[in-house]
Every structure is written in structure tokens, then in C-alpha cells.
Amino acid sequence: MRDVEAEIDGKVNSMVKHNILFKFLNDETLTATERLSRVAPCFTFFVLGFHDLQNLVLKYPAAEAEMDRVKKAINAHCTEDATHWPWFLADLKTLGLDREATFTSSVKYLWSKATQMQRWSCYQFAILAGRASDPILRYVFLLSLEVNGRALFSKFLELAEKSEDETGKELLYFGRTHFARESGSLHGEEAIENELLEMKLHPETRAQALEIAMKALEVQDAEWNELARAAYANIKL
């Protein structure tokens, strides 16, 4: 499994170097607060969609999970990950985005062409989760998302700390509170994760796992590019 992890790390490192989202996040012609304020609106569907993915799609039935320690660990991880979205809503307010808007204009934006890759990525993840019903495959799927998330939130943390210096206001989702819970691994399941990572996979299983992980990262790459395009356009509701 370690070689699969290495492939995931390599793909994520390439995304960080080449995806235009990181070009935008590194653009110092804008303040850190401005950069986060421009990214956040487009990110909304994905953040809340990811919450649903964790709660409604990736978890195994409770009775089934009780019979399998890997499935139980995955469920515990998903339960934890599904609690992060309130920090995002708090940050929208802190960033000054909680302004008056009609319900219809908000719906129109969240389901517009400008945000279609945010929606598509959630739907693609649901499809991949269905393909990864085996707990080993589902773990690798989650691992790809966690390694990717750790890379993105490392950059968000850097900007959130600069934003706090600019405004005196703490950001939770983009800042330290969330980053402390983005370990890049299964939450609180280190022993099981180490066992999984040291496991020697059957060649067919390895091929399936790697295919799912790379597809998940390709989807995330497209979603990141859209975040950057929306941020550069500074699209408003």
C-alpha cells in the first residue's frame, strides 16, 4: 500500500505546482483576505456537498461496520469530517460575505455554470464511492482526498493567518481550527491506518485502488481550476 500512497503524494504535489488555484492563492497583488473572499463563494457547494458525501454516501451501515474494524474506522472518520462545515459558514460571515441576497439569486449562483465543477465533483465522488465499496478501496479513496485536502488547507492556513493580521479576525475553516483536524489520514485511527499502509495488495486490488485514487484527484484538479477561475472573475451573487 505504501507505493499507492507514494503515487497519491506525487500526483498531489504536481497539482500544487501546476493548478491555477495555487497561482491565484499566491497572488500578492491581492491581500490574503481578498484572496479568501474571492474563493469562498464558489467553494460553498463543494463544502456542503462534501458534508453530505461523508454522512450519506461514504459511511457503511452501522450494523455492517460493527462487524469489520476497517469499515468502523472509516465510519468514525466520516463522522468527524462531516462536522467541519459550520466553520465554513462562520468564515463566510467573518470575510464579509454574509450580506443580504435573495434566496433565488443564491440558488441561481450555486447551480450556475460558474460553479458546475463544484457540483460535478461531488457527484463524481459519489460514483467513485460506489465503485469503492470494498473497505480497502474506500480507504484509498479517502486517503487521496485527505492528502489532497492537507495540501490545500496548508495554503489556506497561511492565508488565514495573514488575514488575521490584516483584520484582527480569526478564520476557523480556512485557519488553525480546521487545519488541526486535517491530518491527511484517518481521524484517530492511526493503528488501523498503519496496518493498511503496510499491507501488500493483490495486483488487481492495487490497480483498482490506484485507478480510483487518480480519478478522484483528477476530479479535484478540475474543481480547483474552477475555484481559481471564479476567484479571478470575482463573481458576485
Side-chain angles (χ1 to χ4, degrees), residues 101-226:
T102 64
F103 182 67
T104 51
S105 66
S106 298
V107 170
K108 183 178 179 180
Y109 176 71
L110 292 174
W111 275 268
S112 69
K113 186 176 181 179
T115 59
Q116 65 183 4
M117 298 309 294
Q118 309 305 304
R119 304 189 303 277
W120 177 80
S121 62
C122 291
Y123 307 145
Q124 289 297 308
F125 285 164
I127 292 170
L128 287 172
R131 288 175 56 191
S133 58
D134 179 276
I136 301 302
L137 297 180
R138 189 159 297 184
Y139 165 71
V140 173
F141 174 49
L142 286 170
L143 180 64
S144 68
L145 300 183
E146 288 300 313
V147 172
N148 198 50
R150 183 77 175 179
L152 179 60
F153 283 98
S154 293
K155 188 61 187 180
F156 281 157
L157 174 61
E158 177 186 324
L159 294 180
E161 289 179 338
K162 290 180 180 178
S163 177
E164 187 172 344
D165 290 340
E166 293 165 2
T167 67
K169 298 177 181 178
E170 182 183 6
L171 294 169
L172 303 178
Y173 187 83
F174 292 107
R176 291 180 293 274
T177 297
H178 191 190
F179 188 74
R181 307 273 275 273
E182 286 294 327
S183 64
S185 58
L186 292 182
H187 294 290
E189 301 294 342
E190 292 83 1
I192 291 177
E193 182 155 45
N194 286 334
E195 289 178 24
L196 291 169
L197 289 171
E198 297 302 329
M199 182 182 295
K200 185 172 178 60
L201 298 179
H202 185 279
E204 184 178 345
T205 302
R206 181 189 180 280
Q208 289 177 322
L210 200 53
E211 181 183 359
I212 288 169
M214 291 301 109
K215 178 61 178 178
L217 294 175
E218 288 171 11
V219 169
Q220 196 93 90
D221 202 27
E223 183 247 333
W224 282 6
N225 274 322
E226 182 181 71

Side-chain angles (χ1 to χ4, degrees), residues 59-119:
K59 282 185 180 179
Y60 292 99
E64 184 179 327
E66 284 298 321
M67 304 296 291
D68 186 302
R69 59 196 295 263
V70 177
K71 291 180 180 180
K72 189 174 183 178
I74 287 172
N75 278 14
H77 172 85
C78 292
T79 296
E80 159 59 30
D81 249 13
T83 65
H84 299 175
W85 63 273
W87 300 327
F88 180 75
L89 298 187
D91 282 3
L92 293 180
K93 181 177 287 188
T94 301
L95 289 167
L97 297 169
D98 192 18
R99 61 183 177 78
E100 184 177 348
T102 64
F103 182 67
T104 51
S105 66
S106 298
V107 170
K108 183 178 179 180
Y109 176 71
L110 292 174
W111 275 268
S112 69
K113 186 176 181 179
T115 59
Q116 65 183 4
M117 298 309 294
Q118 309 305 304
R119 304 189 303 277

